[in-house]
Amino acid sequence: MTQPLNYFKETPSQTAGPYVHIGCTPNFSGVSGVFHEDLGISMTNDQTEGHRITVRGMVFDGKGAPLKDALVEIWQADAKGFYNSPSEMRGQADPNFTGWGRCAGHMESGEFVFETVKPGIVPFKDGRPMAPHITFWIVSRGINVGLHTRMYFPDEETANATDPVLTRIEHKSRVPTLIARKEGDDYRFDIHLQGDNETVFFDI
Amino acid sequence: MTNEKRNQGAFFPRDRNWQPPALTPPYKTSVLRSPQKALLSLDNTLSEMTGPVFGHNIIGDLDNDLILNFAKDGELPIGERIVVHGRVIDERGLPVKGALLEFWQANAGGRYRHKKETYLAPLDPNFGGCGRTISDEDGYYYFRTIKPGPYPWPNGVNDWRPAHIHFSIFGDGFAQRLITQMYFEGDPLIWKCPIVQAIPSEEAVKQLIAPLDMGNTIPMDSLAYKFDIVLRGRRSTMFDNRREGN
Ligand SMILES: [Fe+2]
């Protein structure tokens, strides 16, 4: 026998179910008057620094149908590459930018939309720069453990080509699943849960 | 004080044998919504080790009181009054302070207040079904509510969800993000539920079953259930600052 290590096990995940909006975006779901406003609906204010962007997209199932009950959260650095987080030790992030957004897919179309700023460069753990990116987390009915992925920018070809995460992807044909499309002034980032274009999801 | 250095390391990898797999065919919706390719395993970067923080200023007085936060003046929702409480800790057993917890649930009859909900059980005009709170310095949290009812759902022809409360939890880093469900001790529906059965081991399922906690009941008022939550722990960084060479 040895001494016990005394680690605990992480609480098992369960699906967010079809009514995740009641808890996470209650005003959107029709439960009004409990919370003043839904969390994560605005990431910026009129003093936020950086280039304003709109990111929109949908989450598709294995038959190509858009999910209408998904909840998408994003987390990103500010325009200078700092996270608005107590764990950010490198410097002070823009106080007028939260870095975190939450959006319920539209109940008819399934589309999510984020009004944010383009993130700056964040270093990888060995100091190499990571190309500008936004972390995505997707939950819904039928998803047992929330899915992590990243969106990169189509106008950052040089930075993307040396990004330490993108270059780790063994099948290069899958890299484009992480790169948004420019659509007018917006970026479109569609997420495919299955199929030929299945998005690269991370165990991270 | 906890060791600050220790709190800056990457998170322990998620134990995918403890967590439910993506594809669990008896839970039918998972069939078309489960990624089929292997996940890309990566050690955390700053993008996952950091995460948003929520101040107590976002929390209203009744946010952790589902008995009162939707009720009309002088009225109360119908059902068993309960307190749910516990601690948010990490895999090392350290308290996760300042964690935002959000909850949602059906009413005592098993009916959700949602535009797309069609179950014939009635809405309770005094029950909304959502709440939130932030854990304190010890990781402790509590809220009170009405015990939710079980409800049927379209999966098999006669599948019922055990009584449950949905939880969403934020830790210190975005990699810890978790959504789960709390079940109630003694409910025979737990072991028949395809969503519960997505979890591979009985031991892991038990981690989601809150025991009746007579020590924290409020006599002549409310029963209590205890539900502790464990988020991913952080690796030690005790040698990360050592200079090699220069
Ligand atoms: Fe539910």
Side-chain angles (χ1 to χ4, degrees), chain B residues 13-30:
Chain B
R14 200 156 243 163
D15 183 346
R16 297 279 170 180
N17 295 318
W18 184 257
Q19 295 290 340
L23 176 62
T24 50
Y27 175 26
K28 294 181 181 179
T29 315
S30 76

Side-chain angles (χ1 to χ4, degrees), chain A residues 60-65 67 192-196, chain B residues 31-34 36:
Chain A
F60 294 94
D61 72 13
K63 284 279 178 218
L67 273 58
H192 296 268
L193 299 178
Q194 296 180 351
D196 289 344
Chain B
V31 174
L32 285 176
R33 295 185 172 194
S34 44
Q36 294 171 331

Side-chain angles (χ1 to χ4, degrees), chain A residues 6-40 60-63 66-71 73-75 83-90 98-102 106-108 122-125 130 133 135-137 139-148 150 164-165 168-170 174 178 193-204, chain B residues 4 7-8 12-16 18-24 27 29-54 58 62-63 69-70 89-94 100 102-105 112-118 128-132 151 161 166 168 170 172-181 183 195-199 203-205 207-208 227-232 234:
Chain A
N6 291 331
Y7 288 111
F8 292 82
K9 297 301 291 183
E10 185 190 17
T11 297
S13 172
Q14 291 270 263
T15 178
Y19 305 125
V20 58
H21 312 112
I22 296 174
C24 294
T25 55
N27 292 295
F28 169 86
S29 81
V31 182
S32 53
V34 179
F35 303 153
H36 168 61
E37 77 171 15
D38 292 338
L39 282 182
F60 294 94
D61 72 13
K63 284 279 178 218
L67 273 58
K68 295 173 182 175
D69 50 13
L71 183 82
E73 291 184 359
I74 64 172
W75 173 239
Y83 282 102
N84 191 344
S85 169
S87 313
E88 173 61 87
M89 302 291 166
R90 298 169 299 145
T98 68
W100 176 74
R102 173 187 271 172
H106 189 277
M107 282 193 197
E108 304 304 325
V122 175
F124 194 58
K125 50 192 175 163
M130 291 192 282
H133 63 273
T135 295
F136 274 68
W137 190 68
V139 292
S140 82
R141 180 171 67 97
I143 295 178
N144 288 325
V145 183
L147 298 168
H148 278 265
R150 282 186 182 186
V165 172
R168 276 283 302 277
I169 297 171
E170 184 182 348
R174 299 192 66 204
L178 301 186
L193 299 178
Q194 296 180 351
D196 289 344
N197 293 319
E198 182 178 311
T199 301
V200 175
F201 296 105
F202 297 165
D203 186 13
I204 196 160
Chain B
E4 204 170 77
N7 289 339
Q8 293 171 31
F12 300 157
R14 200 156 243 163
D15 183 346
R16 297 279 170 180
W18 184 257
Q19 295 290 340
L23 176 62
T24 50
Y27 175 26
T29 315
S30 76
V31 174
L32 285 176
R33 295 185 172 194
S34 44
Q36 294 171 331
K37 298 184 169 66
L39 301 178
L40 179 64
S41 291
L42 284 173
D43 204 4
N44 291 170
T45 72
L46 277 167
S47 305
E48 296 78 34
M49 284 152 65
T50 56
V53 69
F54 301 93
I58 67 161
L62 294 180
D63 283 8
N69 72 14
F70 197 81
I89 59 173
D90 71 11
E91 288 168 289
R92 289 180 181 275
L94 298 171
L100 174 69
E102 297 163 291
F103 338 103
W104 65 101
Q105 63 167 90
Y112 282 96
R113 183 172 289 278
H114 191 278
K115 288 169 188 161
K116 291 186 176 175
E117 157 77 288
T118 56
C130 67
R132 62 187 178 188
Y151 58 85
R161 294 305 323 282
H166 296 265
S168 162
F170 287 83
D172 313 310
F174 206 59
Q176 288 175 306
R177 198 73 185 82
L178 182 71
I179 280 185
T180 189
Q181 303 182 28
Y183 304 101
I195 289 176
V196 174
Q197 286 167 357
I199 298 169
E203 197 189 353
V205 171
Q207 202 177 353
L208 297 182
F227 188 55
D228 290 335
I229 295 161
V230 182
L231 301 181
R232 292 167 67 179
R234 285 186 192 257

Side-chain angles (χ1 to χ4, degrees), chain B:
Chain B
M1 279 302 285
T2 54
N3 177 347
E4 204 170 77
K5 269 187 191 155
R6 188 162 60 177
N7 289 339
Q8 293 171 31
F11 291 99
F12 300 157
R14 200 156 243 163
D15 183 346
R16 297 279 170 180
N17 295 318
W18 184 257
Q19 295 290 340
L23 176 62
T24 50
Y27 175 26
K28 294 181 181 179
T29 315
S30 76
V31 174
L32 285 176
R33 295 185 172 194
S34 44
Q36 294 171 331
K37 298 184 169 66
L39 301 178
L40 179 64
S41 291
L42 284 173
D43 204 4
N44 291 170
T45 72
L46 277 167
S47 305
E48 296 78 34
M49 284 152 65
T50 56
V53 69
F54 301 93
H56 290 269
N57 60 321
I58 67 161
I59 304 290
D61 288 346
L62 294 180
D63 283 8
N64 71 341
D65 188 347
L66 284 73
I67 290 180
L68 291 183
N69 72 14
F70 197 81
K72 299 184 181 76
D73 271 351
E75 297 186 22
L76 290 171
I78 288 171
E80 294 176 42
R81 298 162 62 86
I82 61 169
V83 170
V84 177
H85 75 110
R87 289 179 74 215
V88 186
I89 59 173
D90 71 11
E91 288 168 289
R92 289 180 181 275
L94 298 171
V96 181
K97 58 187 174 186
L100 174 69
L101 299 103
E102 297 163 291
F103 338 103
W104 65 101
Q105 63 167 90
N107 67 23
R111 171 75 186 261
Y112 282 96
R113 183 172 289 278
H114 191 278
K115 288 169 188 161
K116 291 186 176 175
E117 157 77 288
T118 56
Y119 182 34
L120 56 80
L123 283 171
D124 182 331
N126 292 306
F127 192 72
C130 67
R132 62 187 178 188
T133 189
I134 290 180
S135 65
D136 72 12
E137 291 290 305
D138 298 317
Y140 186 74
Y141 77 92
Y142 64 95
F143 62 99
R144 74 171 180 173
T145 187
I146 294 296
K147 189 175 178 191
Y151 58 85
W153 59 298
N155 186 63
V157 291
N158 191 23
D159 280 335
W160 291 73
R161 294 305 323 282
H164 62 277
I165 300 176
H166 296 265
F167 278 68
S168 162
I169 309 110
F170 287 83
D172 313 310
F174 206 59
Q176 288 175 306
R177 198 73 185 82
L178 182 71
I179 280 185
T180 189
Q181 303 182 28
M182 179 197 111
Y183 304 101
F184 292 86
E185 177 185 2
D187 186 342
L189 292 169
I190 293 171
W191 304 101
K192 300 180 193 296
C193 174
I195 289 176
V196 174
Q197 286 167 357
I199 298 169
S201 71
E202 184 179 320
E203 197 189 353
V205 171
K206 285 180 179 166
Q207 202 177 353
L208 297 182
I209 305 176
L212 176 68
D213 179 3
M214 289 304 287
N216 280 287
T217 54
I218 305 171
M220 308 304 288
D221 181 329
S222 300
L223 286 173
Y225 287 86
K226 188 209 71 161
F227 188 55
D228 290 335
I229 295 161
V230 182
L231 301 181
R232 292 167 67 179
R234 285 186 192 257
R235 274 211 304 270
S236 159
T237 54
M238 51 190 127
F239 282 97
D240 278 11
N241 291 332
R242 192 168 62 172
R243 296 191 178 185
E244 313 277 354
N246 70 330

